Amino acid sequence: MESIKVVLLGLGTVGKGVYETIQTHQTQLQAVLGKKIEVVAILVKNKEKKREIDLDPSVILTTDYVDILQLPEIDFVIEMIGGIEPARTYIEQSLTKGCHVITANKELMAFHGKELRKIAEQTGFQLAYEASVAGAIPVIRTLQELLQVNHITKIEAILNGTTNYILTQMRKGKISFEQALMEAKEKGYAEADPSNDIEGWDAFFKLMVLSDLVFDEQPNWNHVDRSGIEQVLIEDLTLAEQFGLRLKLIGSLYKNHDRWEAKVKPTFLSKSHPLYYVEGVENGIVIETDLAGRLFFQGSGAGSLATASAIIEDLVNVWQRQKLGVPKRGVKWKAIAEHKGDQSYWFVIQSKQKHRKNEDLLLKNSFQQFGITIHASEWIELPNQEYTTGYVISGRGDDIKKFLYQVEKQYWGLKWYPISTWQEQEEKSKRKVYA
Ligand SMILES: NC(=O)c1ccc[n+]([C@@H]2O[C@H](COP(=O)([O-])OP(=O)(O)OC[C@H]3O[C@@H](n4cnc5c(N)ncnc54)[C@H](OP(=O)(O)O)[C@@H]3O)[C@@H](O)[C@H]2O)c1
């Protein structure tokens, strides 16, 4: 039987999962593709490394990419190295050589996705990157192929399993951020250097990949409101639970007046929001569209086999549709009529006050002075006779940000988080808003 020839760049967590999946699912692959999948070579950094994997003796294991370039008749190169270089150069050279490329690399796609997609288009070969966003969840293909006519009006997503795990454990186990992070490291959910995850960069890169795909452009990175979860305290989560709110690191793409905006921010979610129920290392994505309404996806955002699943499905899809090419969202995004000055909700936390009543009153007065509505407030007493108070407030659009910016200077330990709800009423009002 003829075979489809594949080269793997990288044999780490993802590379190993892909190699193994090709062996374990060979019958299924042959049934679908009518051909065998044959891994002909694997590029690694260190050839001497001990690996818990049985490689077929015919597979060339090399540390030199020139060996790969010299191989005849390669159909696919699958990049699972990570980082920008040398991954970027290898992908460019693979496309130019005449191979389809599949990558799991969100950082590279965020920085150089546009340029690499252009090279792919020029060469006539395909670049697929489902695994770069939300692991096993088929979000890229859904946006690229299944929602070509729908207008996407908003995307909200939990794109990082590590931070979702930490926040879940902090809330459920009443443990500190540091303890939850340590637990995540012990379980292999966080890397030795977790800064990319906890500072929100990982989610940010994934959001930029989605932005490129959906809107054919990325927002100015300097204007993206990105923050991580390092400042979150257990009492913040405990307090919010009294209002039925849960904190998640949410990446969102949404329209603000005449431009698309993106943000990655710890956000409190109400029970009406589907992402409220996405716990632990799982990822979740809500896509709001004009025709299909709200679509919700949940699943494994990382891990060897979950990521391999996205890569192998990409391979099959690229092979099956190679004559058709990559579908494009043909129409440039039209401006959407915005509900100017939408009412938005915030959860404001005033941490570790010494004299709760006085400060509470002062802050409440300030809310009123700025025309902000307080819907509810609760407080908890901390062991050392300090208090943390939480307020659910609402106000119109940017006004609330100005208010919060002003009072932050006066009140120590003040933090605020957006609240995202997804009530039936809100949903209706946001639909059919096209000009
Ligand atoms: N891990 C996940 O769950 C997950 C999920 C989604 C996406 N991803 C993405 O998938 C990619 C790979 O992640 P991973 O977790 O599998 O990483 P990993 O375990 O660190 O594996 C990286 C592999 O790349 C090889 N490598 C690194 N630098 C190289 C170089 N300069 N030349 C040749 N080979 C090199 C390493 O070789 P040695 O083995 O010799 O060191 C290793 O086999 C990343 O882009 C990551 O963001 C990962």
Side-chain angles (χ1 to χ4, degrees):
M1 185 186 265
E2 264 190 81
S3 66
I4 296 171
K5 293 188 169 39
V6 173
V7 165
L8 309 185
L9 309 183
L11 192 58
T13 307
V14 179
K16 193 166 161 283
V18 168
Y19 185 84
E20 284 172 350
T21 302
I22 290 172
Q23 314 311 315
T24 55
H25 288 63
Q26 190 63 241
T27 312
Q28 181 71 8
L29 284 162
Q30 283 181 26
V32 173
L33 297 163
K35 291 187 181 200
K36 246 178 84 181
I37 298 277
E38 185 189 352
V39 177
V40 291
I42 304 177
L43 181 81
V44 290
K45 197 170 187 178
N46 176 6
K47 220 171 140 179
E48 309 312 319
K49 199 183 213 174
K50 258 196 154 309
R51 297 175 198 276
E52 286 167 13
I53 187 166
D54 281 332
L55 290 182
D56 191 288
S58 67
V59 176
I60 300 163
L61 190 69
T62 179
T63 55
D64 190 351
Y65 189 67
V66 175
D67 292 345
I68 307 285
L69 284 176
Q70 284 169 352
L71 288 168
E73 294 169 30
I74 298 301
D75 298 297
F76 283 91
V77 169
I78 306 180
E79 187 276 309
M80 298 162 291
I81 293 174
I84 304 293
E85 288 294 354
R88 195 203 62 80
T89 305
Y90 292 169
I91 289 181
E92 184 177 341
Q93 289 176 342
S94 301
L95 288 165
T96 313
K97 176 180 160 67
C99 310
H100 300 298
V101 173
I102 299 169
T103 179
N105 194 331
K106 65 245 153 185
E107 190 179 349
L108 178 62
M109 287 308 289
F111 275 95
H112 297 288
K114 205 162 203 167
E115 150 203 336
L116 290 172
R117 281 187 296 161
K118 198 162 187 185
I119 294 170
E121 211 177 304
Q122 284 162 354
T123 58
F125 290 87
Q126 293 185 41
L127 173 66
Y129 49 98
E130 183 69 74
S132 67
V133 179
I137 302 175
V139 59
I140 302 279
R141 181 114 53 94
T142 300
L143 290 167
Q144 205 165 40
E145 297 184 24
L146 308 179
L147 297 173
Q148 294 187 64
V149 178
N150 272 268
H151 287 273
I152 311 296
T153 48
K154 185 177 179 186
I155 293 178
E156 274 192 305
I158 295 170
L159 295 169
N160 183 269
T162 308
T163 44
N164 206 45
Y165 176 82
I166 291 172
L167 292 172
T168 305
Q169 290 307 101
M170 283 176 73
R171 193 192 76 244
K172 282 188 174 167
K174 304 271 180 270
I175 55 174
S176 68
F177 168 77
E178 288 75 17
Q179 284 172 296
L181 175 59
M182 206 190 314
E183 211 179 87
K185 281 187 184 172
E186 280 163 14
K187 293 206 153 137
Y189 299 150
E191 291 174 30
D193 176 4
S195 32
N196 245 7
D197 292 324
I198 62 174
E199 290 172 12
W201 284 109
D202 177 83
F204 171 85
F205 291 140
K206 291 168 181 168
L207 200 64
M208 292 304 106
V209 175
L210 292 180
S211 178
D212 251 342
L213 177 68
V214 177
F215 311 123
D216 201 28
E217 61 186 355
Q218 294 182 12
N220 181 330
W221 286 18
N222 294 324
H223 298 163
V224 177
D225 188 358
R226 178 202 49 80
S227 47
I229 61 162
E230 317 90 297
Q231 308 300 326
V232 177
L233 300 172
I234 320 169
E235 54 262 31
D236 301 354
L237 304 182
T238 312
L239 193 61
E241 260 193 313
Q242 298 182 23
F243 296 100
L245 299 171
R246 275 185 190 166
L247 191 67
K248 308 280 175 191
L249 184 66
I250 300 292
S252 47
L253 286 172
Y254 56 100
K255 189 87 174 144
N256 185 5
H257 302 284
D258 59 351
R259 61 168 197 255
W260 282 101
E261 287 197 3
K263 79 182 168 201
V264 176
K265 250 186 133 43
T267 301
F268 280 104
L269 306 177
S270 71
K271 285 181 184 159
S272 63
H273 200 298
L275 296 176
Y276 175 95
Y277 303 95
V278 178
E279 295 272 73
V281 285
E282 294 245 299
N283 281 195
I285 301 173
V286 185
I287 303 172
E288 190 181 289
T289 72
D290 62 337
L291 301 174
R294 180 179 75 193
L295 300 169
F296 172 49
F297 302 80
Q298 177 173 357
S300 297
S304 187
L305 292 183
T307 312
S309 159
I311 288 172
I312 294 298
E313 294 292 349
D314 258 354
L315 185 149
V316 170
N317 188 250
V318 167
W319 190 259
Q320 287 174 336
R321 62 173 310 128
Q322 56 187 322
K323 289 198 176 63
L324 300 172
V326 183
K328 275 194 219 156
R329 306 190 67 95
V331 190
K332 260 276 186 193
W333 287 89
K334 264 171 70 177
I336 293 169
E338 183 75 6
H339 299 287
K340 289 206 168 89
D342 263 353
Q343 192 83 353
S344 56
Y345 289 84
W346 297 76
F347 189 60
V348 180
I349 297 168
Q350 195 179 8
S351 297
K352 298 190 183 342
Q353 304 143 254
K354 280 280 177 222
H355 308 287
R356 194 189 76 81
K357 282 196 179 121
N358 289 347
E359 294 194 24
D360 195 25
L361 192 68
L362 281 172
L363 190 59
K364 275 185 176 167
N365 284 342
S366 302
F367 281 133
Q368 278 153 16
Q369 194 189 327
F370 280 86
I372 305 289
T373 309
I374 306 169
H375 297 273
S377 73
E378 286 280 354
W379 54 272
I380 47 171
E381 190 171 348
L382 305 173
N384 46 0
Q385 290 187 315
E386 289 179 329
Y387 300 89
T388 293
T389 312
Y391 305 87
V392 174
I393 62 165
S394 69
R396 288 196 179 274
D398 289 345
D399 291 348
I400 217 149
K401 289 186 194 159
K402 279 186 211 145
F403 157 75
L404 290 167
Y405 180 73
Q406 295 237 11
V407 294
E408 190 189 30
K409 291 179 202 147
Q410 294 164 39
Y411 298 99
W412 187 84
L414 207 62
K415 288 185 276 187
W416 54 79
Y417 300 91
I419 297 177
S420 191
T421 59
W422 211 307
Q423 276 137 11
E424 194 55 27
Q425 221 181 347
E426 280 186 39
E427 210 182 317
K428 274 187 198 144
S429 71
K430 282 177 189 160
R431 296 245 197 109
K432 304 200 192 320
V433 287
Y434 288 86

